[in-house]
Amino acid sequence: MILDVKQLSHSYGDKEALNNLNFSIKDNSIVSVLGPSGCGKTTLIRIIAGLEHIQSGEIFLDKLLVANKSLNLPPEQRPISYVFQDFALFPHMTVFENISFAAGSKANKKQLIEQVIHLAKVNNFLDKYSHSLSGGEQQRVALARSIAVQPKLLLLDEPFSDLDINLKREIIDDTLHLINSLESSAIVVTHNAEEAMFLSDTIIVMNKGIIVQIGTPHEIYFNPTNLYVASLFGETNIFQSKVIDHSCITPLGRIKVKNLPNNQNVDVVIRPEAIKLNLEKSPLLNPNSGIVVDSKFLGNSAIIHMTVNDEKNNKHHIHSKVMGNFLPPQASSVSVTLDEDHIFIFPR
Ligand code: ATP
């Protein structure tokens, strides 16, 4: 294991920021810490880096104890490097000097610098100072500098959040290749679930200072442990219902329920992609049909806004995500079938 975090708790005054975190990170892996603003992501990274004094618990890096109540190795004595949102490049040094400084006096320094410059794609602005670089260029230099340290663990705290969407995709992609090719491990902090899935082997989902779920992107997407995790991956349709005879009724029809007792109140989460639509010729024949309010074309997908009626004839506004070439006109009637892979039922 490159990192072991044991029983880590942290407070600012009487504000609890982290509550008993326990997790490990394997060698050569990329892990995302995913959660909303204020859930404790930065506090966790700062404690691992040694920038924040640990209050209780233990941190092991590469099996070496680096922090507990009576020990706090400074950042430079830990096998890590980090990139924060503000990049923090040395303003009085050129790009080349920033990278060279980070490489220190390593035996393979020249070769290392050349490799890092090539991988991070910073060769076109090596003589520039940070104030004359664009956000994307600064980002690349910050990554290059942190890699030149040859850390065993790279800590990236929301490094992509200030970049525009196209640049962000390109730099995330390059970062992934950079980390993989140098056989480092990395922790990437993000509040964007798609970014977390794209970048990492494992996602740690946090909320209000605790770890809510740890798993692969596939496990977290298809087996979320609660409503909060299920809602992280984009918008959802949520209905309140009750288990009766191993199923529950929603405005989109009856759904089978496993492993929950009769009379249990539940939240039913239905992802837009779970709702398959077909244009209907005779709407009155199908009780699970909806009326299209609007169809929004999004390229390779489309979002269909529609209303459906529940058993008591109350109207519900629903979003369905379908292929971009299916754009039913306003006021048309559509029948609904559901894909159970994208439906989650949680006790309430
Ligand atoms: P963001 O995504 O907005 O950066 P975060 O998930 O990284 O948020 P933290 O910055 O770790 O969250 O903050 C966790 C909690 O601790 C928040 O409630 C925050 O207000 C509080 N906090 C963080 N730093 C301090 C500090 N230096 N003093 C007091 N409270 C703090």
Side-chain angles (χ1 to χ4, degrees), residues 48-51 61 66 72-82 101 106 149:
I48 296 169
L51 295 165
L61 280 164
V66 296
N72 200 55
L73 285 189
E76 61 277 12
Q77 287 178 25
R78 302 184 184 199
I80 51 132
S81 66
Y82 41 82
F101 182 80
K106 296 206 164 56
V149 178

Side-chain angles (χ1 to χ4, degrees), residues 100-293:
S100 172
F101 182 80
S105 54
K106 296 206 164 56
N108 59 344
K109 181 170 177 172
K110 191 164 178 286
Q111 194 191 353
L112 172 68
I113 292 175
E114 276 171 15
Q115 187 190 11
V116 166
I117 288 172
H118 170 71
L119 287 169
K121 300 182 182 166
V122 294
N123 13 355
N124 288 340
F125 35 86
L126 288 173
D127 295 333
K128 285 193 171 180
Y129 289 86
S130 60
H131 66 86
S132 62
L133 298 173
S134 70
E137 288 166 348
Q138 286 186 47
Q139 176 65 285
R140 286 183 179 283
V141 179
L143 281 166
R145 196 181 60 169
S146 66
I147 286 288
V149 178
Q150 288 194 303
K152 294 208 165 123
L153 181 66
L154 183 61
L155 305 168
L156 303 166
D157 190 355
E158 306 241 16
F160 314 112
S161 54
D162 283 345
L163 305 176
D164 75 55
I165 187 77
N166 288 330
L167 191 58
K168 187 169 166 165
R169 286 205 179 118
E170 184 188 317
I171 292 188
I172 287 180
D173 203 26
D174 287 340
T175 304
L176 198 58
H177 296 308
L178 197 63
I179 295 169
N180 283 335
S181 61
L182 291 167
E183 295 183 357
S184 290
S185 295
I187 303 182
V188 188
V189 164
T190 178
H191 53 256
N192 182 324
E194 207 177 303
E195 199 169 288
M197 289 201 285
F198 183 78
L199 270 170
S200 47
D201 318 305
T202 302
I203 300 177
I204 298 176
V205 182
M206 288 186 64
N207 194 20
K208 297 183 184 158
I210 62 167
I211 293 178
V212 189
Q213 189 170 1
I214 301 182
T216 64
H218 192 275
E219 281 162 356
I220 298 213
Y221 188 80
F222 284 108
N223 293 297
T225 49
N226 60 22
L227 187 69
Y228 163 75
V229 181
S231 306
L232 281 175
F233 297 91
E235 76 144 346
T236 48
N237 301 288
I238 300 175
F239 306 105
Q240 300 190 334
S241 185
K242 193 176 205 167
V243 181
I244 293 169
D245 288 338
H246 308 291
S247 64
C248 59
I249 304 284
T250 74
L252 290 168
R254 184 182 289 272
I255 295 169
K256 272 189 240 146
V257 183
K258 293 176 209 148
N259 307 327
L260 285 174
N262 261 337
N263 291 321
Q264 169 73 55
N265 287 321
V266 289
D267 287 313
V268 182
V269 180
I270 304 184
R271 291 208 172 111
E273 49 270 47
I275 305 171
K276 313 278 180 210
L277 303 178
N278 267 309
L279 262 180
E280 286 228 88
K281 294 194 182 76
S282 47
L284 293 177
L285 293 178
N286 189 340
N288 291 344
S289 59
I291 302 297
V292 174
V293 177

Side-chain angles (χ1 to χ4, degrees), residues 12 15 17 36-43 158 191:
Y12 298 101
K15 163 90 199 148
S37 183
C39 74
K41 306 181 296 295
T42 297
T43 303
E158 306 241 16
H191 53 256

